[in-house]
Amino acid sequence: MTTDTEIPAVTGPRTAAPEDTRLSGRARLVLFVLCAAQFMVALDFSVLNVALPVLGRDLDLSPSALQWAVTAFTLPSGGFLLLFARIGDLYGRKRLFLTGLAVFGAASVLATLAWNPAAFLTGRALQGLGAAAIVPAGMSLLTTTFPEGPLRDRALGISGMLLSLGFTVGMVLGGVMTDTLGWRSTMGLLAVAALAVLVLAPGLLGESRTPERPRLDVPGAVTVTAGLLALIYSLSTAAERGFGGADVRAALVAGLVLLAAFAVVESRSAAPLVSLPMLRRRTVAWGNFGGLVTFSMMSTVIFVLTLYLQETLGLSSFLTGLVFGVQGIASVLAGSLVPRFVGRFGARRTLVGSLAGQGLFTAALLAVGPESGALVATVAVSLGSMCHLGAIISYGLTVTSGVPDEEQGLATGLVTTTQQVGLTIGIPLLGVLATTRVPLFDGVRTVLAVDAALVVGAALLVAAGLRRRKA
């Protein structure tokens, strides 16, 4: 167990023989299957966004109800992550992964064939439930399959690259498929992807679980799941309607109270869902803090930049998609470079440097103007996304390194919960500053300035929190 005076080797410089970084043929196939599942889930977060107006007209969903096409997915996908991560630890990660794929695929078929709003939203909710099983189980299988060191660095680098790329590809692909094949094709694509992974996975993946079989922490599972559901509902709804609604405020308060109760329950549980000693690890606490900041702040940048490009500069959806396509290419490049930086400088320094870079390139976006700036925006957001990917990979390594295999599900559950919550809270907390200011461009600049300051400040805090201490 890592103490407060110890940092795992991954947080410092590390060297390895070149042959240690080579993946065998079977390892490549395993990595492909796990990354394909992660990419599929990431795609689902964004592929439907461009199609929402067309979907609403087809299914007779009112503009105010369209938010549920997104919220119905994010609620279960974020709310059940920690619970499913622990279930995978206890009863088998491969079994949970395959179950999640089956649920996700069936739900995608339902969403594709939806004949009314209720059927479609049910499909979206079941997609989120499947994703909540796929993501932590897939991450745990990855970290237990590839040993700590260069192989895991490389595997997480590829996984992080595809996670980031999935969001970008979804935005571009969603518009193209909706215009040519209709919105249902976006859901059909996910069904085909789930089926393909489900066919390949059983013969490639080995089972993985904890050696002991402690009882499931039911009170902890209930409080954390209900708390996350309430919190995500509140923040997701606030992104559309603001925090003025009574239901939004009540859900926010309920979520915070339930999460506080969860902390109390865990401190007294014999077999806690989340190990509080694990949360006291500086690598786990500060690594997840860095992950929360990088996800929430970059999602906000993408949101306000989309508004700027389309509403201020008047770019079409296609040209806006091209901007984010360049960003996706930059992410692919970063995916091949970040593991090298981790190997040379360590995950801690890479995390701090990546956060600082993301903040500085976000600040560079302040150079855009009300009549021109598409080129500056493309370059700055692409470079910022490269740093963002560095933060994604290095915070995952920081959190999971030094954690025993039997607790990898808990650690990766925290990593993936941080991702989901980060993607959820950024836009409601900062995006409203852009949408409520007149002119819009002034609001965009305000959000970018605050965003950049928060990320740079987080880099300084993470650097101080992970600073080595003498034993």
Side-chain angles (χ1 to χ4, degrees):
M1 179 68 72
T2 304
T3 67
D4 196 47
T5 59
E6 297 172 334
I7 295 290
V10 73
T11 60
R14 181 177 65 231
T15 59
E19 59 269 22
D20 291 341
T21 65
R22 295 175 184 172
L23 296 173
S24 66
R26 184 177 180 83
R28 289 175 185 271
L29 289 174
V30 170
L31 183 59
F32 170 79
V33 166
L34 295 175
C35 287
Q38 302 283 351
F39 180 84
M40 176 187 69
V41 173
L43 195 71
D44 199 10
F45 270 95
S46 58
V47 72
L48 199 63
N49 289 349
V50 180
L52 287 178
V54 178
L55 181 152
R57 290 192 296 270
D58 187 28
L59 292 180
D60 197 25
L61 276 169
S62 66
S64 60
L66 274 180
Q67 63 155 325
W68 281 100
V70 177
T71 304
F73 178 84
T74 57
L75 272 173
S77 66
F80 287 92
L81 272 169
L82 281 176
L83 172 60
F84 284 168
R86 191 54 172 164
I87 288 175
D89 282 348
L90 298 179
Y91 302 107
R93 293 152 186 161
K94 176 183 175 180
R95 182 181 302 173
L96 179 66
F97 183 74
L98 296 178
T99 302
L101 282 171
V103 171
F104 187 93
S108 298
V109 172
L110 176 59
T112 303
L113 302 176
W115 53 94
N116 59 30
F120 175 74
L121 294 178
T122 300
R124 289 291 287 163
L126 290 173
Q127 278 184 328
L129 196 66
I134 293 169
V135 174
M139 282 289 290
S140 293
L141 287 168
L142 189 148
T143 55
T144 53
T145 299
F146 297 94
E148 186 174 329
L151 281 178
R152 185 184 292 180
D153 294 356
R154 186 177 179 188
L156 283 175
I158 295 172
S159 177
M161 174 192 69
L162 291 176
L163 178 68
S164 178
L165 187 60
F167 291 106
T168 304
V169 170
M171 294 176 66
V172 179
L173 195 60
V176 173
M177 295 185 70
T178 300
D179 287 343
T180 57
L181 301 173
W183 69 267
R184 294 178 188 273
S185 64
T186 61
M187 297 291 97
L189 174 66
L190 297 172
V192 172
L195 177 62
V197 177
L198 189 58
V199 168
L200 293 173
L204 290 172
L205 302 178
E207 188 54 278
S208 169
R209 63 166 62 92
T210 55
E212 296 96 14
R213 299 291 291 274
R215 294 178 60 184
L216 181 64
D217 177 19
V218 176
V222 171
T223 51
V224 74
T225 302
L228 286 172
L229 287 172
L231 185 64
I232 293 170
Y233 169 81
S234 172
L235 296 175
S236 299
T237 308
E240 300 292 331
R241 297 194 278 114
F243 286 96
D247 60 328
V248 175
R249 294 196 299 269
L252 179 61
V253 171
L256 295 175
V257 169
L258 285 166
L259 291 178
F262 169 68
V264 174
V265 168
E266 296 306 276
S267 67
R268 301 175 178 178
S269 174
L273 191 67
V274 173
S275 168
L276 293 184
M278 178 185 290
L279 289 177
R280 286 195 288 268
R281 292 170 179 255
R282 290 184 294 125
T283 49
V284 172
W286 287 107
N288 275 301
F289 173 73
L292 183 69
V293 170
T294 193
F295 272 104
S296 60
M297 294 300 100
M298 183 52 72
S299 66
T300 304
V301 168
I302 300 302
F303 173 73
V304 299
L305 195 59
T306 302
L307 294 177
Y308 166 74
L309 293 173
Q310 295 191 7
E311 303 295 333
T312 301
L313 296 187
L315 267 62
S316 65
S317 298
F318 176 74
L319 291 177
T320 302
L322 287 181
V323 170
F324 293 114
V326 174
Q327 175 202 15
I329 294 172
S331 296
V332 172
L333 178 62
S336 63
L337 295 176
V338 172
R340 301 180 187 180
F341 282 95
V342 172
R344 181 170 181 179
F345 302 107
R348 177 183 65 86
R349 291 186 178 90
T350 304
L351 175 58
V352 172
S354 297
L355 286 171
Q358 179 179 325
L360 292 175
F361 285 118
T362 299
L365 287 167
L366 294 171
V368 301
E371 298 179 357
S372 63
L375 179 60
V376 172
T378 303
V379 173
V381 76
S382 297
L383 294 174
S385 292
M386 293 179 75
C387 296
H388 170 60
L389 186 60
I392 292 175
I393 295 170
S394 54
Y395 105 85
L397 286 169
T398 300
V399 172
T400 59
S401 296
V403 176
D405 280 356
E406 61 270 18
E407 294 184 350
Q408 281 293 330
L410 293 176
T412 55
L414 289 172
V415 169
T416 49
T417 300
T418 295
Q419 293 174 2
Q420 302 295 328
V421 174
L423 289 168
T424 302
I425 67 174
I427 294 174
L429 293 180
L430 289 185
V432 67
L433 297 177
T435 56
T436 57
R437 295 284 297 273
V438 178
L440 175 66
F441 178 69
D442 289 345
V444 169
R445 284 181 58 86
T446 299
V447 171
L448 291 173
V450 174
D451 190 296
L454 289 175
V455 179
V456 172
L460 297 175
L461 289 173
V462 172
L466 291 178
R467 184 182 297 120
R468 293 181 180 180
R469 302 175 187 178
K470 292 182 179 180

mmCIF file of all heavy atoms in Angstrom, residues 90-110:
data_model
loop_
_atom_site.group_PDB
_atom_site.id
_atom_site.type_symbol
_atom_site.label_atom_id
_atom_site.label_comp_id
_atom_site.label_asym_id
_atom_site.label_seq_id
_atom_site.Cartn_x
_atom_site.Cartn_y
_atom_site.Cartn_z
ATOM 1 N N LEU A 90 -15.778 -8.393 -7.969
ATOM 2 C CA LEU A 90 -16.226 -9.521 -7.154
ATOM 3 C C LEU A 90 -16.658 -10.725 -7.983
ATOM 4 O O LEU A 90 -16.411 -11.871 -7.603
ATOM 5 C CB LEU A 90 -17.384 -9.075 -6.250
ATOM 6 C CG LEU A 90 -17.081 -7.972 -5.233
ATOM 7 C CD1 LEU A 90 -18.323 -7.629 -4.435
ATOM 8 C CD2 LEU A 90 -15.953 -8.381 -4.309
ATOM 9 N N TYR A 91 -17.307 -10.474 -9.110
ATOM 10 C CA TYR A 91 -17.947 -11.572 -9.832
ATOM 11 C C TYR A 91 -17.370 -11.817 -11.233
ATOM 12 O O TYR A 91 -17.825 -12.737 -11.919
ATOM 13 C CB TYR A 91 -19.455 -11.318 -9.935
ATOM 14 C CG TYR A 91 -20.108 -11.153 -8.588
ATOM 15 C CD1 TYR A 91 -20.538 -9.905 -8.158
ATOM 16 C CD2 TYR A 91 -20.263 -12.247 -7.732
ATOM 17 C CE1 TYR A 91 -21.130 -9.742 -6.902
ATOM 18 C CE2 TYR A 91 -20.845 -12.100 -6.492
ATOM 19 C CZ TYR A 91 -21.272 -10.841 -6.077
ATOM 20 O OH TYR A 91 -21.837 -10.691 -4.837
ATOM 21 N N GLY A 92 -16.382 -11.036 -11.635
ATOM 22 C CA GLY A 92 -15.742 -11.279 -12.917
ATOM 23 C C GLY A 92 -15.858 -10.098 -13.864
ATOM 24 O O GLY A 92 -16.964 -9.705 -14.239
ATOM 25 N N ARG A 93 -14.720 -9.532 -14.233
ATOM 26 C CA ARG A 93 -14.717 -8.353 -15.109
ATOM 27 C C ARG A 93 -15.076 -8.726 -16.538
ATOM 28 O O ARG A 93 -15.768 -7.971 -17.232
ATOM 29 C CB ARG A 93 -13.352 -7.679 -15.041
ATOM 30 C CG ARG A 93 -13.074 -7.073 -13.667
ATOM 31 C CD ARG A 93 -11.607 -7.021 -13.342
ATOM 32 N NE ARG A 93 -11.372 -6.562 -11.965
ATOM 33 C CZ ARG A 93 -10.258 -6.760 -11.292
ATOM 34 N NH1 ARG A 93 -9.258 -7.446 -11.850
ATOM 35 N NH2 ARG A 93 -10.124 -6.312 -10.065
ATOM 36 N N LYS A 94 -14.602 -9.864 -17.006
ATOM 37 C CA LYS A 94 -14.959 -10.298 -18.353
ATOM 38 C C LYS A 94 -16.460 -10.531 -18.456
ATOM 39 O O LYS A 94 -17.096 -10.121 -19.439
ATOM 40 C CB LYS A 94 -14.201 -11.583 -18.718
ATOM 41 C CG LYS A 94 -14.587 -12.166 -20.064
ATOM 42 C CD LYS A 94 -13.853 -13.483 -20.336
ATOM 43 C CE LYS A 94 -14.326 -14.136 -21.627
ATOM 44 N NZ LYS A 94 -13.620 -15.421 -21.886
ATOM 45 N N ARG A 95 -17.030 -11.177 -17.461
ATOM 46 C CA ARG A 95 -18.464 -11.453 -17.466
ATOM 47 C C ARG A 95 -19.255 -10.141 -17.508
ATOM 48 O O ARG A 95 -20.228 -10.012 -18.261
ATOM 49 C CB ARG A 95 -18.831 -12.255 -16.219
ATOM 50 C CG ARG A 95 -20.290 -12.654 -16.129
ATOM 51 C CD ARG A 95 -20.550 -13.431 -14.850
ATOM 52 N NE ARG A 95 -19.706 -14.624 -14.766
ATOM 53 C CZ ARG A 95 -19.628 -15.411 -13.712
ATOM 54 N NH1 ARG A 95 -20.322 -15.113 -12.620
ATOM 55 N NH2 ARG A 95 -18.861 -16.473 -13.711
ATOM 56 N N LEU A 96 -18.835 -9.162 -16.709
ATOM 57 C CA LEU A 96 -19.514 -7.870 -16.691
ATOM 58 C C LEU A 96 -19.353 -7.152 -18.030
ATOM 59 O O LEU A 96 -20.295 -6.543 -18.551
ATOM 60 C CB LEU A 96 -18.963 -7.004 -15.557
ATOM 61 C CG LEU A 96 -19.569 -5.604 -15.432
ATOM 62 C CD1 LEU A 96 -21.043 -5.687 -15.043
ATOM 63 C CD2 LEU A 96 -18.791 -4.775 -14.399
ATOM 64 N N PHE A 97 -18.145 -7.221 -18.597
ATOM 65 C CA PHE A 97 -17.859 -6.576 -19.882
ATOM 66 C C PHE A 97 -18.773 -7.135 -20.972
ATOM 67 O O PHE A 97 -19.377 -6.376 -21.745
ATOM 68 C CB PHE A 97 -16.392 -6.821 -20.231
ATOM 69 C CG PHE A 97 -15.912 -6.151 -21.494
ATOM 70 C CD1 PHE A 97 -15.677 -4.783 -21.525
ATOM 71 C CD2 PHE A 97 -15.668 -6.903 -22.634
ATOM 72 C CE1 PHE A 97 -15.217 -4.168 -22.687
ATOM 73 C CE2 PHE A 97 -15.211 -6.297 -23.795
ATOM 74 C CZ PHE A 97 -14.987 -4.926 -23.818
ATOM 75 N N LEU A 98 -18.893 -8.448 -21.054
ATOM 76 C CA LEU A 98 -19.724 -9.074 -22.075
ATOM 77 C C LEU A 98 -21.207 -8.769 -21.845
ATOM 78 O O LEU A 98 -21.957 -8.534 -22.804
ATOM 79 C CB LEU A 98 -19.499 -10.582 -22.085
ATOM 80 C CG LEU A 98 -18.086 -11.055 -22.461
ATOM 81 C CD1 LEU A 98 -17.992 -12.569 -22.380
ATOM 82 C CD2 LEU A 98 -17.700 -10.570 -23.849
ATOM 83 N N THR A 99 -21.624 -8.762 -20.585
ATOM 84 C CA THR A 99 -23.010 -8.411 -20.279
ATOM 85 C C THR A 99 -23.318 -6.982 -20.700
ATOM 86 O O THR A 99 -24.370 -6.698 -21.289
ATOM 87 C CB THR A 99 -23.290 -8.588 -18.779
ATOM 88 O OG1 THR A 99 -23.016 -9.933 -18.391
ATOM 89 C CG2 THR A 99 -24.734 -8.251 -18.448
ATOM 90 N N GLY A 100 -22.383 -6.076 -20.399
ATOM 91 C CA GLY A 100 -22.563 -4.683 -20.800
ATOM 92 C C GLY A 100 -22.657 -4.526 -22.308
ATOM 93 O O GLY A 100 -23.483 -3.752 -22.815
ATOM 94 N N LEU A 101 -21.835 -5.262 -23.043
ATOM 95 C CA LEU A 101 -21.888 -5.208 -24.509
ATOM 96 C C LEU A 101 -23.238 -5.694 -25.027
ATOM 97 O O LEU A 101 -23.811 -5.106 -25.951
ATOM 98 C CB LEU A 101 -20.772 -6.065 -25.099
ATOM 99 C CG LEU A 101 -19.359 -5.475 -25.099
ATOM 100 C CD1 LEU A 101 -18.351 -6.553 -25.509
ATOM 101 C CD2 LEU A 101 -19.263 -4.282 -26.039
ATOM 102 N N ALA A 102 -23.741 -6.786 -24.447
ATOM 103 C CA ALA A 102 -25.026 -7.326 -24.889
ATOM 104 C C ALA A 102 -26.154 -6.327 -24.633
ATOM 105 O O ALA A 102 -27.018 -6.105 -25.494
ATOM 106 C CB ALA A 102 -25.309 -8.648 -24.176
ATOM 107 N N VAL A 103 -26.157 -5.722 -23.443
ATOM 108 C CA VAL A 103 -27.187 -4.731 -23.116
ATOM 109 C C VAL A 103 -27.067 -3.514 -24.032
ATOM 110 O O VAL A 103 -28.070 -3.005 -24.558
ATOM 111 C CB VAL A 103 -27.075 -4.314 -21.632
ATOM 112 C CG1 VAL A 103 -27.997 -3.134 -21.327
ATOM 113 C CG2 VAL A 103 -27.406 -5.486 -20.721
ATOM 114 N N PHE A 104 -25.839 -3.042 -24.238
ATOM 115 C CA PHE A 104 -25.614 -1.870 -25.085
ATOM 116 C C PHE A 104 -26.083 -2.145 -26.512
ATOM 117 O O PHE A 104 -26.740 -1.299 -27.138
ATOM 118 C CB PHE A 104 -24.132 -1.509 -25.073
ATOM 119 C CG PHE A 104 -23.795 -0.232 -25.780
ATOM 120 C CD1 PHE A 104 -23.738 0.969 -25.077
ATOM 121 C CD2 PHE A 104 -23.524 -0.207 -27.137
ATOM 122 C CE1 PHE A 104 -23.427 2.154 -25.720
ATOM 123 C CE2 PHE A 104 -23.213 0.967 -27.795
ATOM 124 C CZ PHE A 104 -23.163 2.160 -27.087
ATOM 125 N N GLY A 105 -25.738 -3.315 -27.046
ATOM 126 C CA GLY A 105 -26.133 -3.644 -28.409
ATOM 127 C C GLY A 105 -27.640 -3.748 -28.566
ATOM 128 O O GLY A 105 -28.219 -3.209 -29.520
ATOM 129 N N ALA A 106 -28.306 -4.449 -27.630
ATOM 130 C CA ALA A 106 -29.764 -4.573 -27.698
ATOM 131 C C ALA A 106 -30.437 -3.213 -27.560
ATOM 132 O O ALA A 106 -31.432 -2.918 -28.254
ATOM 133 C CB ALA A 106 -30.247 -5.527 -26.603
ATOM 134 N N ALA A 107 -29.903 -2.376 -26.674
ATOM 135 C CA ALA A 107 -30.467 -1.037 -26.490
ATOM 136 C C ALA A 107 -30.304 -0.186 -27.746
ATOM 137 O O ALA A 107 -31.185 0.609 -28.093
ATOM 138 C CB ALA A 107 -29.791 -0.359 -25.302
ATOM 139 N N SER A 108 -29.185 -0.352 -28.448
ATOM 140 C CA SER A 108 -28.957 0.404 -29.683
ATOM 141 C C SER A 108 -29.950 -0.015 -30.769
ATOM 142 O O SER A 108 -30.412 0.820 -31.551
ATOM 143 C CB SER A 108 -27.517 0.200 -30.167
ATOM 144 O OG SER A 108 -26.592 0.676 -29.215
ATOM 145 N N VAL A 109 -30.270 -1.309 -30.811
ATOM 146 C CA VAL A 109 -31.288 -1.778 -31.758
ATOM 147 C C VAL A 109 -32.642 -1.151 -31.425
ATOM 148 O O VAL A 109 -33.370 -0.680 -32.313
ATOM 149 C CB VAL A 109 -31.383 -3.319 -31.730
ATOM 150 C CG1 VAL A 109 -32.576 -3.803 -32.568
ATOM 151 C CG2 VAL A 109 -30.092 -3.941 -32.240
ATOM 152 N N LEU A 110 -32.978 -1.117 -30.134
ATOM 153 C CA LEU A 110 -34.238 -0.506 -29.717
ATOM 154 C C LEU A 110 -34.281 0.976 -30.093
ATOM 155 O O LEU A 110 -35.305 1.465 -30.594
ATOM 156 C CB LEU A 110 -34.418 -0.677 -28.204
ATOM 157 C CG LEU A 110 -35.656 -0.006 -27.578
ATOM 158 C CD1 LEU A 110 -36.938 -0.550 -28.213
ATOM 159 C CD2 LEU A 110 -35.667 -0.217 -26.065
#
